[in-house]
Amino acid sequence: MPNKDLHDREYVQFRDFLEQQCGIVLGDNKQYLVKSRLGPLMQRFGLATLSELVSKTLSPFERQLRSAVIDAMTTNETLWFRDTYPYELLKKQIFPELEKTSRTVKIWSAASSSGQEPYSIAMTALEYQQTRPSSFSLGVNVLGTDISNTMLEHCQRAEYDGLALSRGLSDDRRTKFFQDSGKGMMRVKDNVRKNVNFRHLNLLDSYTLLGKFDIIFCRNVLIYFSGDVKAKIIRQFAQSLNPRGFLFLGASESLPSTNSDFEMVRCNPGIIYRKKT
């Protein structure tokens, strides 16, 4: 039987490794999370103990194992149209302001996980265009990025089972935006998928090559980072936004008190942040 025991020293070493590699900060008592996330990898890599898996992960030569570990620790479940209000704000407040823009409107879904957020944004844009046929003459492009290659492959397949589709997706949108792909799976239709692209990105790295965006979604992600890393990411978001661009954070997240790049816009419901210049 696999041994999932992990000594305190090993946990601290692993916690430091994870923060260094992707910025995620684990608390002092999250051994249970490490055990549940990494346990399945023991059999996959033929390792008898969790201690051995952690030890090998710390080696710079174990690239395949390292990648699998980071995948396992950074993958989070998500929902379609999570919290509802960001998508309503797009339709009612932000898209009307951007609809006559004489270029492609660019939206970034940072940490896109299994794809629900970027596809929900693209669906919202299509719904808006159906009511305003002359809007966005050069289109809307959504970029989803994630540190997990496994999640990016899932996003690009754009196939979801019944359980995933039941989490936040209405029957009307399921009919409108999905088609049966067989074996109990539904696939996002081409008219949505053509407006969404995916690429690998670690939020600790530079965003320069991504270009400029009108809107950035980074929801329910910053809570996993230290204060310094969070501040750095927010500064880089500001640099990646066009003047007066918008930033969406999670409902329980806020900007660092030292940040001067954004102004808070209180909505009903919800809060968004707007780049000052």
Side-chain angles (χ1 to χ4, degrees):
M1 185 175 179
N3 183 344
K4 294 185 180 181
D5 291 338
L6 198 64
H7 296 300
D8 289 344
R9 176 180 55 81
E10 294 167 328
Y11 173 72
V12 170
Q13 289 176 326
F14 179 75
R15 187 181 63 184
D16 293 345
F17 160 81
L18 193 65
E19 182 173 0
Q20 181 183 27
Q21 292 297 310
C22 52
I24 290 178
V25 178
L26 292 177
D28 291 333
N29 300 301
K30 293 295 180 72
Q31 285 93 332
Y32 71 91
L33 181 62
V34 175
K35 292 177 182 180
S36 64
R37 292 289 182 94
L38 300 189
L41 297 182
M42 294 167 61
Q43 182 176 2
R44 176 177 162 187
F45 286 90
L47 301 172
T49 69
L50 189 58
S51 292
E52 185 181 4
L53 187 147
V54 166
S55 177
K56 285 183 173 292
T57 299
L58 300 179
S59 167
F61 304 106
E62 296 285 348
R63 294 183 180 180
Q64 186 178 3
L65 177 59
R66 278 189 164 206
S67 178
V69 165
I70 290 173
D71 266 6
M73 294 303 301
T74 58
T75 297
N76 295 297
E77 289 193 20
T78 187
L79 309 173
W80 301 97
F81 299 91
R82 183 170 184 174
D83 296 329
T84 305
Y85 76 84
Y87 305 95
E88 292 302 314
L89 287 176
L90 287 178
K91 287 183 178 180
K92 295 177 180 178
Q93 185 167 335
I94 299 177
F95 283 168
E97 183 175 328
L98 295 174
E99 68 172 22
K100 299 301 181 184
T101 301
S102 57
R103 52 177 166 72
T104 299
V105 171
K106 294 182 62 180
I107 305 173
W108 177 16
S109 170
S112 56
S113 188
S114 47
Q116 282 89 332
E117 182 175 88
Y119 285 129
S120 293
I121 295 169
M123 292 173 197
T124 302
L126 284 176
E127 290 174 341
Y128 184 82
Q129 287 176 292
Q130 288 166 359
T131 63
R132 305 275 295 180
S134 63
S135 62
F136 304 126
S137 59
L138 294 181
V140 176
N141 179 261
V142 183
L143 174 67
T145 66
D146 204 90
I147 194 174
S148 168
N149 288 320
T150 301
M151 285 294 99
L152 291 172
E153 291 170 5
H154 185 96
C155 292
Q156 289 163 342
R157 287 196 303 272
E159 288 188 323
Y160 300 89
D161 61 20
L163 179 61
L165 292 174
S166 71
R167 294 168 61 83
L169 190 70
S170 68
D171 290 340
D172 178 62
R173 281 172 168 154
R174 178 171 176 160
T175 301
K176 186 188 303 183
F177 295 120
F178 289 80
Q179 61 190 29
D180 192 337
S181 61
K183 298 182 179 179
M185 305 291 285
M186 300 286 287
R187 192 181 196 202
V188 180
K189 288 184 177 178
D190 288 346
N191 64 329
V192 179
R193 291 175 55 237
K194 71 178 183 179
N195 297 324
V196 186
N197 299 293
F198 296 96
R199 64 184 294 177
H200 181 271
L201 181 77
N202 186 333
L203 287 175
L204 299 186
D205 295 339
S206 171
Y207 312 157
T208 304
L209 296 180
L210 299 182
K212 296 286 188 177
F213 297 91
D214 299 289
I215 305 166
I216 295 176
F217 276 64
C218 186
R219 307 193 67 240
N220 308 295
V221 176
L222 296 180
I223 53 175
Y224 298 107
F225 297 123
S226 68
D228 289 344
V229 172
K230 176 181 176 180
K232 174 179 179 289
I233 290 173
I234 293 294
R235 287 195 300 271
Q236 288 184 250
F237 282 157
Q239 294 166 3
S240 299
L241 279 168
N242 287 318
R244 306 297 289 164
F246 296 92
L247 172 64
F248 281 89
L249 300 181
S252 62
E253 297 173 315
S254 60
L255 293 183
S257 59
T258 56
N259 185 274
S260 59
D261 296 314
F262 293 91
E263 60 186 16
M264 180 190 296
V265 181
R266 294 187 180 276
C267 306
N268 186 21
I271 291 171
I272 52 177
Y273 298 91
R274 188 160 200 176
K275 186 177 176 180
K276 290 182 178 179
T277 56

